[in-house]
Amino acid sequence: MNPWINAQVLEIKKWTKNLFSLFLKASISNFQAGQFTKLALCETNKIKKIQRAYSFVNAPSNKNLEIYITRIPNGKLSNLLYNLKTGDNVFIKKNAFGFFVLKEIPNCETLWMFATGTAIGPYCSILQEGQDIERFKNIVLLHAVRYTNELVYLPLMKKLCEKYDGKLRIQTIISREKNNNSLLGRIPFLIKNRVIEKKIGLEINCKNSHVMLCGNPSMVKETYLLLNQERNMTKHLRKRKGNITMENYW
């Protein structure tokens, strides 16, 4: 059983007109870095809950919960969440969900973390917690967005890079405008043409790499097919080890 409980809004940061972070306080069960929860609200004068899944950005050891959300045009829940105020309540699931966690990732030399948009959240949680990281010689965190002003977690990414003192490398990718500090284009194209690997100085291959894909379903699917067909990398399953772990963000 996984009941709904109340979460109190501590703060809401509105980064852009469509991107915001909710900071919540709630007596949830312990969760693993990389997992997600569900939030819900009731429409005005209605009993039925509107619910959606969202990943934790905060480390499990941080009891102030942080959720990074895209405000969807005409989206029922995201607009209600965007308009919450400090002190308001929202429903949250007591127990977390998901297997996009490090203990499900096999040992490898280089762990690649690819994210689009708000899917940077699970990686922020994993890297802030810092558990089970020593198994990997290199970790590469790549965050792809459309515009520069959507890189709202870049300061945190830079702090994490300093924290890991050479083990972690970060790279931002922008698809719709040029930025001297970011690569330009879409993730599948940049992998296919080895632009990312040349920039980072490491190779993505089936011998020493594991790739985590999280974000837009089309990116996840395209990147998986590319790595499968051109790099001989396979989906990782508990019953059969592979090189790719995936999670879609709708």
Side-chain angles (χ1 to χ4, degrees), residues 7-13 15 20-26 28 31 34-37 39 53-69 92 118 120-125 128 152-154 156-157 249:
Q8 183 182 40
V9 177
L10 299 176
E11 183 184 2
I12 177 169
K13 286 187 178 180
W15 306 104
F20 64 105
S21 296
L22 277 181
F23 295 83
L24 307 170
K25 182 179 180 180
I28 63 169
F31 70 93
Q35 287 190 304
F36 65 91
T37 188
L39 300 181
Y54 299 106
S55 289
F56 294 106
V57 176
N58 60 292
S61 55
N62 184 347
K63 298 307 177 184
N64 288 338
L65 309 178
E66 183 175 353
I67 310 289
Y68 185 33
I69 303 172
I92 190 170
T118 55
I120 191 68
Y123 301 126
C124 290
S125 180
Q128 286 184 98
V152 300
Y153 279 91
L154 183 56
L156 174 59
M157 291 168 65
Y249 256 54

Side-chain angles (χ1 to χ4, degrees), residues 147-190:
Y147 301 103
T148 302
N149 70 342
E150 296 173 346
L151 293 171
V152 300
Y153 279 91
L154 183 56
L156 174 59
M157 291 168 65
K158 289 180 176 179
K159 286 183 180 179
L160 290 169
C161 198
E162 293 175 3
K163 171 184 175 180
Y164 287 103
D165 194 25
K167 180 187 287 284
L168 174 65
R169 309 181 197 192
I170 60 172
Q171 179 62 54
T172 55
I173 301 168
I174 296 176
S175 62
R176 298 189 184 179
E177 66 181 19
K178 289 185 178 181
N179 179 307
N180 291 334
N181 297 315
S182 300
L183 297 177
L184 177 66
R186 296 180 65 248
I187 287 173
F189 173 84
L190 295 172

Side-chain angles (χ1 to χ4, degrees), residues 3-11 20 22-28 37-42 49-52 54 65 67 69 77-78 80-82 84-94:
W4 291 104
I5 62 172
N6 281 323
Q8 183 182 40
V9 177
L10 299 176
E11 183 184 2
F20 64 105
L22 277 181
F23 295 83
L24 307 170
K25 182 179 180 180
S27 299
I28 63 169
T37 188
K38 291 183 179 180
L39 300 181
L41 286 169
C42 295
K49 292 182 178 67
I50 310 168
Q51 59 177 288
R52 298 288 185 273
Y54 299 106
L65 309 178
I67 310 289
I69 303 172
L77 184 58
S78 64
L80 290 173
L81 294 173
Y82 185 85
L84 288 173
K85 306 296 182 184
T86 299
D88 286 346
N89 288 322
V90 60
F91 294 109
I92 190 170
K93 282 293 186 178
K94 177 78 172 177

Side-chain angles (χ1 to χ4, degrees), residues 189-204:
F189 173 84
L190 295 172
I191 292 177
K192 184 176 181 65
N193 293 280
R194 298 185 183 269
V195 175
I196 292 171
E197 292 157 283
K198 289 177 183 176
K199 183 68 181 290
I200 298 298
L202 295 169
E203 185 181 353
I204 302 173

